[in-house]
Amino acid sequence: MIGVISLDRRGAERPGHVRPDAGEAELSYVFLPEAWGRGYAAEACTAVLGWFADAIPGEPVVLCTQTANVPSMRLAAKLGFIEVERFEEWGAEQWFGMWSPVAVSG
């Protein structure tokens, strides 16, 4: 195994939401350093987002990463996430973005 990708519901108690009732699907990923920069994360996340868009049409997906994690922010942009806001959490500035299958495919 070289990494993990997950889609979970973002907890209502956490900062960063795009829906008034919260509970958005949140994409998360973590890969071993040996796998960084090889396109594996982009390929796997693209497949997950495509599957999700087919399974739940029109449902947005959110993603949160530290602003200090420049490679993760580049990946988010490559995947089509747009910045919604920034906030402080876990002792660091966080970048919070949203992906919408309607905006990406439309």
Side-chain angles (χ1 to χ4, degrees), residues 9-101:
R9 292 290 173 189
R10 186 165 178 83
E13 74 285 354
R14 297 199 50 213
H17 292 283
V18 295
R19 294 175 16 184
D21 58 346
E24 302 90 346
E26 181 174 22
L27 178 70
S28 301
Y29 44 80
V30 61
F31 281 78
L32 294 173
E34 301 84 46
W36 295 354
R38 297 174 183 247
Y40 298 135
E43 182 179 353
C45 287
T46 297
V48 167
L49 290 169
W51 171 85
F52 187 79
D54 288 342
I56 307 175
E59 180 81 9
V61 177
V62 298
L63 182 148
C64 189
T65 189
Q66 290 186 6
T67 56
N69 189 344
V70 175
S72 184
M73 289 179 57
R74 274 197 307 263
L75 175 59
K78 183 176 185 174
L79 294 170
F81 282 83
I82 57 167
E83 183 174 342
V84 174
E85 65 178 306
R86 293 181 185 210
F87 51 82
E88 184 81 14
E89 186 180 36
W90 314 114
E93 184 182 48
Q94 304 294 318
W95 182 94
F96 181 77
M98 181 186 79
W99 177 87
S100 175

